Amino acid sequence: MNKQNTLTLVETLLIDYANGTLPLALEVLVETHISMNPVSARSIRMLLQLGGALLENSEPISLSEGSFEKLMAEIDSGFDKDREINNNVSNDNKLLPLPLRNYAQDIDSPKSWKRIGIGLSEQAINFGDDFGSTKLYKISPGCSVPSHSHDGNEVTLVLSGGFTDEYGTYGPGDISIQETGAVHKPVADEDGECIVLAVNEGPIVLTGPVGRLLNMLIK
Amino acid sequence: MNFRVVEELISSLDMSMGSGFSNDNQNNLSEWDSCLLKIGKYRDKSAFKSLYEHFAPRLKSFLLRIGSDESAAEEICQETMIMVWRRAETYNPESAGASTWIFTIARNKRIDKLRKDSRPLPNFNDPLFYQKPIDKSDDILQRTEEEKKIKNVLKNLPPEQAKLILSAYYDDKSHRKIAEETNLPLGTVKSRIRLAINRLRTQLEDFEG
């Protein structure tokens, strides 16, 4: 997809992030992206401030009778269920941006990766819901992902290194969006390994001759 | 995050304690920013009551306007305000004003509610647990200027544009409803919202004062 359309879709992603309607996989992708991209970080900041201003400007509507007292009673009872959620950040994955660290398995351990081609490995990430599929891909320098199309939109974020496909060149923090049916063949830059996070709404369909064989194997 | 600045701030608040919240204008903090700091530092229940009386009814109204029903709106309101009380000590006036901070908590509470059944994993990036290093050069002045500008630009928007801007915060269901009512594809509805946000961004850049 060309750069202008991609930019448009990224803007829509950022708005959906701010209003909280993204599935968790995309929410984490956007958080990772804004931790790497100051322009998008400023957009999110503006959108949250705008939300704050709209909240401040809202005409007050009373809550039901005794709401404040009920709230204080709950506070005084001292039970804080949110404290029980484990919010420690993993010590593994120091090389990954913070927002992604707890979700991925240790990227330094070979055991976390499954080899799926020459110079190409993947790691599935489970977000505990039934939304599409999310994977990390590791592509060796100069190697490529076999030409494939997408059954469902795919959003890819470069975490390290870079790749080039039919539509452009992408570096750390860049997002590439493939719409349903789009075909592309990403090739990792020669100067280093490339790791990307890919969130797919539907299964990937491999289109090259080798790919078609792989499709049969994957099934 | 510059802890020294926050320390200084809090000590200047100490000096103005007892004379109401609104004497902190020299620090560019709003009445509610100061109120939040006070709640965080002193667990001050009467300050919390004022904050609640100001924000809870506005939050309820805002949630109703963006698609929540009455009972969901009240529930999210209560859960948000409990979180405000419990997390007030982590409030950092350099990164957000009170209304932005409360909006962000409410956003998360609304997500929790929408995902209740489908989200066993917590999102570890909840802004309540991290102060995101969005922009290292942030300070209170820059942040309050940004928020003031947004409020001023919002005030002068034509009603049609204001409505579009608000609909950026609608839930999915409400976006689909607009698409149905206007006979437009969902993509077109979203794209109009995006254009309205971009226009607002341009207005913010052009806005002086």
Side-chain angles (χ1 to χ4, degrees):
Chain A
M1 176 180 287
N2 72 41
K3 288 266 174 187
Q4 186 51 46
N5 287 346
T6 298
L7 185 68
T8 299
L9 286 171
V10 170
E11 284 173 352
T12 307
L13 265 183
L14 296 181
I15 293 172
D16 286 345
Y17 174 82
N19 73 21
T21 52
L22 291 177
L24 185 56
L26 284 174
E27 188 173 296
V28 172
L29 182 140
V30 169
E31 271 163 359
T32 309
H33 167 67
I34 61 181
S35 76
M36 304 171 83
N37 182 313
V39 176
S40 292
R42 267 199 298 281
S43 284
I44 290 295
R45 183 185 168 89
M46 190 276 259
L47 287 164
L48 295 175
Q49 289 173 338
L50 180 60
L54 291 168
L55 161 64
E56 182 76 61
N57 284 354
S58 296
E59 269 316 303
I61 296 178
S62 299
L63 279 81
S64 43
E65 194 70 27
S67 289
F68 181 72
E69 290 68 25
K70 230 184 278 165
L71 185 102
M72 289 318 287
E74 189 171 341
I75 283 172
D76 291 335
S77 78
F79 178 67
D80 183 352
K81 67 178 193 310
D82 293 299
R83 286 259 182 233
E84 303 192 342
I85 298 172
N86 172 17
N87 287 297
N88 296 328
V89 182
S90 163
N91 276 324
D92 291 341
N93 286 332
K94 291 231 162 66
L95 293 174
L96 284 181
L98 196 61
L100 199 56
R101 241 173 249 177
N102 276 36
Y103 295 103
Q105 295 164 49
D106 184 4
I107 57 163
D108 293 324
S109 160
K111 273 189 246 160
S112 311
W113 295 95
K114 186 172 128 199
R115 207 178 114 95
I116 54 167
I118 299 160
L120 176 67
S121 323
E122 67 171 30
Q123 177 192 139
I125 300 184
N126 177 12
F127 284 100
D129 56 23
D130 52 9
F131 177 81
S133 79
T134 304
K135 281 173 179 167
L136 289 176
Y137 290 99
K138 187 164 72 173
I139 318 163
S140 301
C143 289
S144 73
V145 179
S147 181
H148 60 278
S149 78
H150 301 90
D151 188 5
N153 299 325
E154 182 186 62
V155 183
T156 304
L157 169 68
V158 181
L159 301 172
S160 66
F163 75 82
T164 299
D165 67 7
E166 291 81 341
Y167 307 97
T169 295
Y170 305 86
D174 287 347
I175 284 179
S176 142
I177 296 179
Q178 299 298 317
E179 287 189 308
T180 305
V183 176
H184 75 151
K185 184 184 181 207
V187 180
D189 294 348
E190 293 287 350
D191 57 359
E193 194 173 72
C194 173
I195 298 182
V196 303
L197 170 69
V199 178
N200 206 291
E201 287 178 352
I204 291 174
V205 184
L206 300 169
T207 52
V210 181
R212 276 194 283 274
L213 182 66
L214 280 176
N215 270 339
M216 287 176 3
L217 296 177
I218 292 169
K219 281 172 193 163
Chain B
M1 192 179 2
N2 189 341
F3 287 102
R4 201 175 45 80
V5 175
V6 182
E7 277 303 308
E8 278 170 11
L9 241 164
I10 291 171
S11 56
S12 70
L13 274 176
D14 285 344
M15 291 189 292
S16 65
M17 289 279 293
S19 50
F21 308 127
S22 51
N23 286 351
D24 303 312
N25 286 342
Q26 66 269 33
N27 293 320
N28 291 295
L29 291 183
S30 81
E31 177 185 358
W32 303 114
D33 301 348
S34 311
C35 187
L36 251 183
L37 284 173
K38 211 163 138 180
I39 296 164
K41 191 160 190 215
Y42 301 104
R43 313 267 80 200
D44 180 333
K45 287 189 178 168
S46 78
F48 181 64
K49 188 160 194 268
S50 321
L51 189 87
Y52 182 95
E53 282 167 358
H54 180 77
F55 280 106
R58 284 175 171 78
L59 182 56
K60 179 179 170 183
S61 148
F62 179 65
L63 288 165
L64 288 175
R65 285 201 294 161
I66 62 176
S68 299
D69 60 33
E70 175 83 21
S71 77
E74 289 228 350
E75 204 177 310
I76 296 169
C77 249
Q78 295 288 77
E79 284 177 4
T80 301
M81 294 314 288
I82 288 180
M83 212 58 168
V84 167
W85 169 262
R86 288 185 176 143
R87 299 289 185 270
E89 59 193 356
T90 69
Y91 168 66
N92 174 6
E94 291 185 329
S95 53
S99 54
T100 303
W101 194 67
I102 293 171
F103 165 80
T104 309
I105 296 175
R107 168 201 174 271
N108 293 346
K109 287 291 161 197
R110 186 169 74 145
I111 293 176
D112 285 350
K113 216 170 155 43
L114 291 171
R115 287 195 195 141
K116 210 172 232 167
D117 306 319
S118 59
R119 192 180 131 181
L121 285 168
N123 184 349
F124 298 98
N125 310 314
D126 191 320
L128 295 174
F129 305 115
Y130 295 114
Q131 294 292 346
K132 277 184 220 162
I134 282 181
D135 184 355
K136 293 264 191 310
S137 66
D138 277 355
D139 62 12
I140 290 173
L141 181 68
Q142 185 192 336
R143 189 275 290 166
T144 51
E145 287 300 314
E146 285 168 4
E147 292 184 351
K148 229 184 276 168
K149 236 190 208 182
I150 289 181
K151 274 179 200 153
N152 282 324
V153 168
L154 268 184
K155 224 187 292 168
N156 299 315
L157 283 186
E160 265 314 297
Q161 202 193 338
K163 224 169 112 187
L164 263 177
I165 293 289
L166 179 70
S167 62
Y169 296 86
Y170 283 5
D171 56 22
D172 225 31
K173 180 182 84 224
S174 310
H175 281 145
R176 283 172 205 286
K177 211 168 127 203
I178 306 180
E180 256 169 52
E181 282 167 4
T182 53
N183 261 325
L184 290 168
L186 188 61
T188 309
V189 172
K190 291 210 158 198
S191 143
R192 286 192 180 175
I193 293 170
R194 184 181 52 79
L195 290 173
I197 294 283
N198 282 352
R199 204 179 326 142
L200 182 79
R201 205 193 313 274
T202 316
Q203 283 162 309
L204 284 171
E205 281 157 12
D206 297 343
F207 187 82
E208 298 295 331

